[in-house]
Amino acid sequence: MSSNRIAGHALSWAATQYRDRPAVVFRDRSFSYAQIERRSNQLANALIGLGQRPGERLAVLLNNSVESIEGQFGAEKAAQAYVALNARHSLREQVAILNDAEASVLIAGPEFRDIALKVQPLVPSLRHVIGLGWQDAGVQEYDALLARASDRAPRLKIPGDLLLRIAYTSGTTGQPKGVAYSIDRFEARLANHFGAMEYGLGIDDAMLHVGPLTHAAGVHLLPCYLRGSRNIVADRFDPEQLVAQIASDRITQLMVVPTMLSRLLEALAANPAADVSSLRRVHYGTAPTPTSMVEEALQRLGPILRQQYGMTEAVQPLCVLYPHEHLQDGQLSTRITSCGRPTINVDITVRDANGQVLPTGEVGEIALAHHGIGAVSFWRRPDLEREAIRDGWFYSGDLGRFDDEGFLYIVGRNKDMMISGGFNVYAREVEDALHAHPAVEDVAVLGLPDPEWGEVIAAFVVRKPGQTSDADALARHCTELIAGYKKPRVIEFVDALPRNHAGKITKNDLRDAYLARHPEGATSQ
């Protein structure tokens, strides 16, 4: 067993260091480090007072708010395993995850009151429901509960292998898949984050969080908190408001997914006089970002783009494409189609179906290992561990290749590799070709079953406003960029692509909807 430590020590240390400095800004209210410390201490003591034991699971169903930060910090100080629920999940999906985690406490925001009341009798392990701004029979109100608790840190002594978090991956069907993070593993992730940083981060920085703090956006929350930076929390993504807030709050750090980056660039194009000079880093990732979008962002924002490659199952970041690597001799570098090179605490290899390491340039499954922290751990899913972990290496399901300089290029997911007429086709390559057309705003490529070809390549395309290019024009465009067997045989135009809470396109939804409309099979162009 690893050595004992004090639960939440780093959080209390930060509060001592930066006491009266602004820690969190939400809407029109600013909260100091001392205030966040007291409130999270109260939550921790309230949870302990409810009889929660170390390692038990606290689930939260909250949108971005100061309480969503208190929930994370309070859980850690009470030695609870924090489980963030996806706000977009259905009742059935919420119940499945709560039962899988055997959650004993649920904190729910006012917009989730109905769901919280419905899950309560369906989750036998759930002993307490805490309502943020509301109460009901058997439901305690959040602020009233905290008001009765001590604001001094509990200072529980806990082992490093105690469960700290269960992060459920973004899939929306099938049995829940939770990734277990012990305290040791979470600290290794934090160390890897700092080890990969090429920029200064301190009391003069302000990070604007525009995505859900319970998911990808939360990766930067704790590093900023520990360095004394302001965490400015938006309750929704509004590109015009974002542009204005960058200027008014002198935002220095921003993290966006590709759809957010696209809308930010549109807002900047509509307001060329906007002041974004305070920005020092724009972190982007979580999904493939079109080359044309990266190029436009460099033109509008300057050489401050930083791409991270990571996944729920692994210590992040796995790879970083640093700002200086986006350019080469003052020109746009071909490396921008990569996700960078592996970080210091991560080993990455590309392997074939037999687990053999492939030479540079060949496409295979990305397998990774972390230094000093062992293999990935799934919550109560030994079947997943047997399937994904071999000889200490985690097989990610991502397909990629290395170039001669060690840059990793993501080709797609295993399930995104299509076999059409006996040829392998990678969705990312077709998507990049379509993104290069000036009429294309967004696109998803997938395989549809076909009795003759095995699969036919299908593209679902969102046009840019005012554009009218048809399927024939896009097919001709693809013919100029990729081999004929890679060209999409089905091109459908849609108003928007379905995405999950992490911003990733849910291609299964597109495939299922298409096949429901065309039960006879794919209709080629």
Side-chain angles (χ1 to χ4, degrees), residues 5 29 49 210 288:
R5 71 280 311 278
R29 296 187 64 189
V210 292

Side-chain angles (χ1 to χ4, degrees), residues 1-6 157-164 181-188:
M1 182 175 289
S2 54
S3 60
N4 285 0
R5 71 280 311 278
I6 301 298
K157 290 186 177 181
I158 51 174
D161 59 2
L162 185 72
L163 183 67
L164 179 69
Y181 271 85
S182 67
I183 292 169
D184 284 340
R185 178 174 288 276
F186 194 78
E187 289 180 352

Side-chain angles (χ1 to χ4, degrees), residues 96-362:
I97 289 175
L98 287 166
N99 278 320
D100 186 71
E102 292 188 347
S104 49
V105 176
L106 170 65
I107 301 175
E111 56 271 77
F112 305 112
R113 176 175 182 159
D114 288 346
I115 287 181
L117 292 175
K118 289 175 181 176
V119 303
Q120 198 169 12
L122 301 175
V123 181
S125 61
L126 195 59
R127 299 194 300 268
H128 303 282
V129 175
I130 302 170
L132 177 58
W134 65 278
Q135 60 185 45
D136 207 304
V139 177
Q140 300 192 61
E141 200 280 324
Y142 182 87
D143 284 319
L145 183 67
L146 265 61
R148 299 192 294 270
S150 168
D151 64 1
R152 296 178 64 86
R155 295 186 60 80
L156 299 178
K157 290 186 177 181
I158 51 174
D161 59 2
L162 185 72
L163 183 67
L164 179 69
R165 291 192 181 189
I166 306 176
Y168 283 86
T169 58
S170 55
T172 57
T173 59
Q175 186 177 349
K177 183 173 72 172
V179 179
Y181 271 85
S182 67
I183 292 169
D184 284 340
R185 178 174 288 276
F186 194 78
E187 289 180 352
R189 169 176 156 173
L190 187 63
N192 198 45
H193 184 105
F194 282 124
M197 280 173 49
E198 81 291 356
Y199 56 91
L201 183 65
I203 60 173
D204 295 327
D205 280 284
M207 179 105 194
L208 179 56
H209 301 279
V210 292
L213 286 172
T214 49
H215 292 78
V219 168
H220 293 270
L221 171 66
L222 190 54
C224 287
Y225 193 85
L226 295 179
R227 289 287 176 86
S229 307
R230 285 178 295 148
N231 284 282
I232 300 176
V233 180
D235 54 1
R236 62 190 177 90
F237 175 72
D238 181 306
E240 287 75 23
Q241 181 179 327
L242 169 58
V243 170
Q245 200 163 9
I246 289 171
S248 63
D249 289 320
R250 306 305 294 166
I251 300 300
T252 62
Q253 303 278 331
L254 183 66
M255 178 185 170
V256 288
V257 300
T259 50
M260 292 177 179
L261 181 57
S262 175
R263 294 181 64 191
L264 170 60
L265 294 174
E266 290 174 2
L268 290 174
N271 184 11
D275 180 10
V276 293
S277 60
S278 60
L279 283 175
R280 299 175 190 166
R281 286 293 180 274
V282 174
H283 309 267
Y284 69 100
T286 76
T289 307
T291 302
S292 57
M293 191 186 300
V294 176
E295 185 173 7
E296 183 182 354
L298 286 169
Q299 292 171 350
R300 295 196 181 280
L301 300 171
I304 61 171
L305 299 186
R306 183 181 192 271
Q307 183 186 166
Q308 286 192 186
Y309 166 56
M311 59 189 69
T312 304
E313 294 89 342
V315 169
Q316 300 193 46
L318 300 175
C319 291
V320 177
L321 184 69
Y322 292 104
H324 69 275
E325 292 169 335
H326 285 68
L327 300 172
Q328 198 166 14
D329 298 326
Q331 303 297 317
L332 196 67
S333 171
T334 56
R335 295 169 181 160
I336 66 168
T337 59
S338 81
C339 61
R341 288 182 281 208
T343 52
I344 189 170
N345 294 316
V346 177
D347 284 331
I348 295 180
T349 56
V350 173
R351 300 179 179 236
D352 65 17
N354 297 317
Q356 298 302 306
V357 177
L358 291 168
T360 296
E362 291 196 24

Side-chain angles (χ1 to χ4, degrees), residues 463 468-477 488 490-493 525:
R463 293 188 187 97
T468 59
S469 292
D470 60 14
D472 288 340
L474 293 185
R476 289 194 300 272
H477 165 80
V490 173
I491 298 178
E492 280 206 353
F493 294 97
Q525 303 293 334

Side-chain angles (χ1 to χ4, degrees), residues 343-464:
T343 52
I344 189 170
N345 294 316
V346 177
D347 284 331
I348 295 180
T349 56
V350 173
R351 300 179 179 236
D352 65 17
N354 297 317
Q356 298 302 306
V357 177
L358 291 168
T360 296
E362 291 196 24
V363 173
E365 184 171 2
I366 295 170
L368 58 97
H370 304 130
H371 294 176
I373 57 171
V376 174
S377 178
F378 291 101
W379 172 251
R380 295 179 176 175
R381 292 293 302 274
D383 57 318
L384 291 179
E385 293 189 7
R386 287 192 300 270
E387 177 185 334
I389 301 169
R390 288 167 251 164
D391 298 324
W393 290 85
F394 172 66
Y395 285 73
S396 67
D398 285 341
L399 298 173
R401 63 176 175 84
F402 279 108
D403 69 12
D404 291 334
E405 294 183 294
F407 287 85
L408 181 64
Y409 296 76
I410 307 297
V411 174
R413 294 285 293 171
N414 261 341
K415 62 185 178 182
D416 282 346
M417 188 192 79
M418 301 156 285
I419 303 177
S420 184
F423 291 98
N424 292 350
V425 181
Y426 301 104
R428 176 70 184 273
E429 187 176 8
V430 185
E431 288 167 351
D432 284 346
L434 286 163
H435 267 299
H437 193 284
V440 174
E441 175 78 19
D442 207 355
V443 62
V445 169
L446 52 87
L448 295 173
D450 183 84
E452 180 180 359
W453 298 96
E455 287 181 293
V456 295
I457 314 306
F460 297 85
V461 177
V462 179
R463 293 188 187 97
K464 289 182 178 177

Side-chain angles (χ1 to χ4, degrees), residues 499-520:
R499 295 179 183 272
N500 61 28
H501 204 48
K504 297 180 180 179
I505 298 169
T506 51
K507 292 187 178 182
N508 281 344
D509 291 339
L510 284 169
R511 182 182 291 106
D512 293 346
Y514 181 91
L515 293 176
R517 295 193 304 273
H518 304 279
E520 72 284 357

